[in-house]
Amino acid sequence: MKNVCGWCGMTLAMLVLSGQLVAQNHPQGGFPYKFPDEKPDRPLSAALERNYTVYPAARPENNELYTQFKYTRLEGFDYNGGDGTISRRDPSKVIFADGKYYVWYTKRHTPTPPQGAQNSTDTIPSADWDLSDIWYATSEDGFLWKEQGVAVPRPPQPNVGWRSVTTTDILVWEGKYYLYYQGFMEASGLRGDDCPVAVSSADSPDGPWIPSNKIVIPNGAKGEWDQYSIHDPYPLVHDGKIYLYYKSDSNGKPNIRMHGLAIADHPLGPFKKHPLNPVMGSGHETTLFPFKSGVAALVIRDGNEHNTIQYAEDWVNFEIQSIVELMPNAGGPFIADAFTNTTDGRGITWGLSHFTNATGDWKANHAILARFDCDLSLDVNDPAM
Ligand code: AAL
């Protein structure tokens, strides 16, 4: 057709509007260089060589682990007009049970916004996730949510988590439900953001949740990379076992956050930390999902390899698959096969994440939950995804 580019199908008007009429011979003959899928038989620059050797597909649109992320504000949550006294953050994975979606998250409802560790008291929070409890909400469509109430409250002193219970994630194992979470025994920020991980279990996603009142993933010994904290516990089922990924936080400048892996035969442990830990040298909150026979990870925010999606065929040794933008912070995806012991992981298309108005210090005023959508699924036509 006249005035339609034979290569990209855009009309002349569309090309002018989108500023693409840059190639001399466009629209008559298409762009002078069409990026080939196969490695060309000629000497290549280092960048082009890398494009064929490092990434699973040379063109991002053919790379199953490349995506863009789209965000939608959730309906159904009240934030006191955004005055910083209510915060919801660090959502768990989303699960589907009894005909609806469930999510668990950190909720803080305090008289003031965070004031920093030195000004914190029994009622004034140091950080956005200080003096918090774990709440849950359900939804039929993933957009409109109904907050159901507290799932795991702070236990009385001296139990693990008496100061704050935060940043939870869900495991479904042999018909029972397990919530893993950070258990603070001091205000976050006194030294750093220091805590181990505790666990509660229930027969139903609606609870009641019974705390084990024990540390299930302990901090590393003095001098080890995870000496001060175990953050963002994130269980998946692989090889008939619980593979729980976590973050530790050295509080270096610039921040160095790495991911570790702890494996157990039973949800209450013992968890054995992997000898190759840390298994990832970048990232922040943990977001992983079974993909084909391996596991894929969203590596957000910190470190040399932030803003990448990585893949580990053996669930331990991760390689970069793509570089992406606007990744979900603290993403908790809906993963249909998170706990099925799959060897053919199908990927993800949506989940919940959070947005903060933090400037990078402890005084994050408050955070809100949002929905993200993406295309990291191998089942594009599967309505269940
Ligand atoms: C988040 C998570 C953990 C940290 C804090 C609350 O980004 O990594 O949960 O402790 O910040």
Side-chain angles (χ1 to χ4, degrees), residues 230-313:
I230 307 291
H231 288 167
D232 304 275
Y234 191 98
L236 293 169
V237 174
H238 171 59
D239 202 14
K241 301 178 200 307
I242 299 139
Y243 271 52
L244 186 145
Y245 295 87
Y246 63 92
K247 171 196 115 192
S248 193
D249 185 351
S250 76
N251 289 337
K253 284 200 187 310
N255 284 329
I256 301 166
R257 271 105 183 200
M258 301 192 187
H259 286 188
L261 168 62
I263 301 173
D265 292 319
H266 187 275
L268 301 183
F271 278 87
K272 196 162 177 267
K273 293 184 182 173
H274 198 280
L276 292 184
N277 276 351
V279 295
M280 264 189 286
S282 298
H284 197 104
E285 296 101 348
T286 44
T287 306
L288 301 98
F289 51 93
F291 196 77
K292 300 184 175 174
S293 54
V295 68
L298 304 190
V299 181
I300 68 164
R301 292 237 289 282
D302 302 311
N304 285 330
E305 296 181 354
H306 71 280
N307 284 356
T308 61
I309 299 180
Q310 304 201 11
Y311 176 72
E313 179 75 36

Side-chain angles (χ1 to χ4, degrees), residues 89-90 106 127-129 166-168 182 184 188 193-195 229-232 247 249 257 284-286 300-301 329-330 354 356 362:
R89 54 179 296 142
D90 292 295
T106 307
D128 192 25
W129 51 95
T166 83
T167 322
T168 192
Q182 300 180 186
F184 284 91
S188 173
D193 191 21
D194 300 355
C195 61
S229 60
I230 307 291
H231 288 167
D232 304 275
K247 171 196 115 192
D249 185 351
R257 271 105 183 200
H284 197 104
E285 296 101 348
T286 44
I300 68 164
R301 292 237 289 282
N329 284 330
H354 72 211
T356 68
W362 298 107

Side-chain angles (χ1 to χ4, degrees), residues 323-342:
I323 297 171
V324 292
E325 60 183 338
L326 295 177
M327 303 186 89
N329 284 330
F334 170 66
I335 311 175
D337 48 18
F339 313 122
T340 60
N341 202 30
T342 183

Side-chain angles (χ1 to χ4, degrees), residues 94 228 299 383:
V94 175
Y228 292 116
V299 181

Side-chain angles (χ1 to χ4, degrees), residues 18 38 61 110 142-143 152 174 181 206 290 303 322:
S18 65
E38 300 299 324
E61 66 267 32
T110 47
F143 291 95
V152 181
E174 293 180 354
Y181 45 89
D206 293 299
S322 66

